[in-house]
Amino acid sequence: MNTYLFVYDLMQFCGHSWIFTNMIIRFMSFGKDSLADTFYSLGFVMRLCQLLSVLEILHILIGIDKSCLFPRVLQITERIIVLFVVINSQEEVQGKYIVCILFFLWNVLDVVRYTYNMLARMGIYYLPLTWLNFSLCILLYPLSVLAKALAICVSLPYFESFGTYSMKLLFPFAFSIYFPYILKAYLLVLFIGMCFVIQNLFSERKAHLGTGNIKKKRS
């Protein structure tokens, strides 16, 4: 199982590193013009990485990963909903700068996290990397939640005008589902969930960066 988890972390590291490197190279080569083309150029690999991340929920459920289930489910479902439901379904949103910002934040977090995880599978702990892994997420995760909320807000006019995912059901009783209302309600869920995730991130940081744990890992 440790070998399997290492291979999984390696695959995710390669995917997110590829996306992050391409984002940097494209920006250096084409400047601001590359920002609007981020989803078209890198979206396929990003979608593969996010679909693969669903396995992390299974890892926790079967006990091979000791992370907390609820915060991890929140983090994964947030990305799945924003990437597949909001961005992927609205072509007009895909060219917005907020998509590039989201991809950048996600990849910075994941490159660091999967690098730390791979080394941890081998029993290797570098204090600077450990500190970065458990500190950077506390700073960038709230920013990513804000970016997700902005992406949803940007998409609302298109969901309203095109009627995507809105429908009328006649059986067993007639009622309408207006998807923009669901997205607006999800904004509240997004920020409430952020509180739980941040609390868990602080707990993880304290557990891994406490004085006793640092001395143990150094030894």
Side-chain angles (χ1 to χ4, degrees):
M1 284 301 174
N2 197 53
T3 302
Y4 160 75
L5 290 174
F6 177 84
V7 172
Y8 169 80
D9 292 330
L10 177 61
M11 291 174 61
Q12 288 282 39
F13 170 79
C14 291
H16 288 289
S17 296
W18 184 86
I19 297 171
F20 184 75
T21 302
N22 273 271
M23 288 184 69
I24 299 299
I25 293 175
R26 284 169 52 79
F27 182 76
M28 293 177 65
S29 301
F30 305 108
K32 291 183 179 180
D33 293 338
S34 67
L35 301 182
D37 197 37
T38 298
F39 184 84
Y40 304 105
S41 303
L42 310 173
F44 177 73
V45 179
M46 176 61 81
R47 281 174 283 180
L48 285 179
C49 290
Q50 296 310 317
L51 285 176
L52 192 62
S53 69
V54 176
L55 288 174
E56 296 180 25
I57 299 175
L58 179 62
H59 297 164
I60 298 174
L61 289 174
I62 64 179
I64 61 176
D65 187 342
K66 303 304 180 183
S67 302
C68 294
L69 177 62
F70 183 60
R72 196 74 197 112
V73 169
L74 285 176
Q75 290 174 289
I76 292 173
T77 53
E78 287 170 6
R79 293 191 183 189
I80 294 293
I81 290 173
V82 172
L83 181 58
F84 287 91
V85 178
V86 175
I87 299 174
N88 192 61
S89 66
Q90 299 296 336
E91 188 174 353
E92 290 76 8
V93 179
Q94 295 168 10
K96 303 294 185 181
Y97 287 171
I98 190 63
V99 175
C100 181
I101 295 172
L102 263 178
F103 278 26
F104 179 80
L105 291 172
W106 288 351
N107 283 285
V108 169
L109 287 169
D110 286 338
V111 167
V112 173
R113 183 164 70 91
Y114 289 115
T115 301
Y116 171 83
N117 287 347
M118 282 192 300
L119 294 177
R121 308 293 179 200
M122 298 184 293
I124 301 173
Y125 297 93
Y126 291 111
L127 182 57
L129 180 60
T130 302
W131 184 90
L132 187 64
N133 181 60
F134 292 102
S135 302
L136 188 65
C137 56
I138 295 175
L139 173 64
L140 295 188
Y141 176 71
L143 293 179
S144 72
V145 171
L146 180 59
K148 293 169 196 171
L150 289 175
I152 291 174
C153 291
V154 168
S155 72
L156 284 174
Y158 302 106
F159 279 105
E160 291 171 352
S161 59
F162 298 141
T164 310
Y165 300 133
S166 297
M167 62 187 74
K168 291 183 178 180
L169 300 179
L170 301 178
F171 182 83
F173 47 86
F175 71 97
S176 299
I177 297 176
Y178 188 57
F179 194 69
Y181 288 162
I182 297 176
L183 285 179
K184 290 175 183 178
Y186 183 68
L187 287 173
L188 179 61
V189 175
L190 196 63
F191 285 102
I192 293 175
M194 181 183 68
C195 298
F196 290 99
V197 173
I198 290 179
Q199 183 179 11
N200 180 71
L201 292 175
F202 273 108
S203 298
E204 287 185 342
R205 188 180 189 279
K206 182 178 180 180
H208 288 83
L209 294 178
T211 305
N213 286 311
I214 292 177
K215 290 180 178 178
K216 183 178 179 181
K217 289 176 181 179
R218 281 177 172 175
S219 61

